Amino acid sequence: MIAHARAVVQGVARKDYEGEARAIFDHVKGTVRYVHDPAGLETLVDPRWLLWVVGAEDCDGMAALTAALGLALGMGAAFTTVATRCEVDPRTGQQSCPWAHVYATLGIPRGDKVEWIAADTAEGDHLGWEPPAHAVRRKRTWIVANP
């Protein structure tokens, strides 16, 4: 994975960390075909298997590959989950907002700070795109590693 990540950013200027994140985003977006999971089944694929064998996955596989490539280059990596709808259980009256989507968030150095940039390779059309606030009912970012 490290060698592959380095090849992905080969043409990016030295220490252009945002450029590296953009190269990773473009690579995953251009290499992996988005497909839905089979009905009633949640599949999880090892990022290496996705990259070199399968080539198609849903948002969680694309997020895992994006994060793995970022980690291989020393970036921070996180997963951001969003719920886009909420339901009320008619028996209990309890509201739940199930997670509906996940995407990678990459942490890059900005001086002595870390900037976290959304890298939604399943839904977004550019690095930094996030689901619109009006469509998000609940959101949480789960940091895997800081840079």
Side-chain angles (χ1 to χ4, degrees):
M1 190 61 72
I2 294 170
H4 188 80
R6 289 177 178 173
V8 167
V9 300
Q10 189 65 37
V12 178
R14 214 172 136 247
K15 295 190 178 185
D16 178 1
Y17 304 115
E18 186 171 343
E20 289 180 354
R22 186 174 299 104
I24 289 169
F25 176 90
D26 291 343
H27 178 70
V28 173
K29 188 94 175 151
T31 303
V32 179
R33 183 179 191 285
Y34 178 89
V35 295
H36 291 283
D37 278 335
L41 181 65
E42 179 64 33
T43 62
L44 298 172
V45 176
D46 181 295
R48 295 166 298 181
W49 184 259
L50 172 59
L51 185 61
W52 294 310
V53 178
V54 179
E57 182 55 50
D58 69 347
C59 62
D60 45 34
M62 294 176 84
L65 176 57
T66 302
L69 291 169
L71 288 168
L73 295 175
M75 294 179 188
F79 295 103
T80 300
T81 51
V82 294
T84 55
R85 62 180 175 75
C86 296
E87 327 170 315
V88 175
D89 184 323
R91 293 173 297 145
T92 65
Q94 294 287 336
Q95 178 175 305
S96 68
C97 304
W99 300 123
H101 183 56
V102 62
Y103 56 92
T105 305
L106 299 175
I108 60 171
R110 287 272 194 227
D112 60 348
K113 296 186 179 182
V114 175
E115 179 182 353
W116 291 94
I117 301 175
D120 188 343
T121 52
E123 297 287 335
D125 61 354
H126 63 275
L127 183 69
W129 181 91
E130 293 189 76
H134 68 83
V136 175
R137 300 293 174 253
R138 182 168 68 127
K139 176 179 169 179
R140 182 166 178 191
T141 298
W142 315 77
I143 295 176
V144 176
N146 284 304

